[in-house]
Amino acid sequence: MNDISIKQNEQKQLERLAAQRGLYSSGKNIHGFQILLTVIVPIILSAISVKYPNLASYAAAFGLFAALFDVLVLEQIIKDKRQKA
């Protein structure tokens, strides 16, 4: 007979589970920020630039910045958190 049911309730294993949940939770929060930065804000800025055409270049610059920040920073952070978890 195996002793998995006993080992899974040991303090060490419970601490590992808590750490894993914390890392996943942190990763989810970063993912939410990523969606806000790369989807919601550009949609709002494009709608605003229809009303105020002189802001279109700023909206485009923000979109470029958001895309680069997403690829270079946020994706790496999320990937690292998932690996650690």
Side-chain angles (χ1 to χ4, degrees):
M1 185 177 280
N2 61 31
D3 58 346
I4 292 175
S5 61
I6 296 169
K7 286 186 177 183
Q8 73 182 1
N9 291 324
E10 291 176 354
Q11 185 64 29
K12 180 180 176 182
Q13 301 303 334
L14 294 174
E15 289 172 0
R16 286 180 177 170
L17 184 60
Q20 179 191 29
R21 286 183 180 172
L23 286 169
Y24 271 123
S25 177
S26 176
K28 281 181 175 179
N29 290 339
I30 294 170
H31 184 69
F33 175 71
Q34 178 185 30
I35 290 173
L36 179 73
L37 185 69
T38 59
V39 176
I40 296 172
V41 173
I43 289 173
I44 292 170
L45 287 177
S46 65
I48 291 172
S49 67
V50 169
K51 176 87 171 155
Y52 303 102
N54 56 341
L55 297 178
S57 60
Y58 294 112
F62 178 82
L64 181 61
F65 165 76
L68 288 174
F69 186 71
D70 178 37
V71 171
L72 298 175
V73 178
L74 293 178
E75 283 294 328
Q76 188 63 38
I77 292 172
I78 292 171
K79 180 182 171 186
D80 290 344
K81 295 237 183 232
R82 285 184 183 157
Q83 269 185 337
K84 284 182 184 178

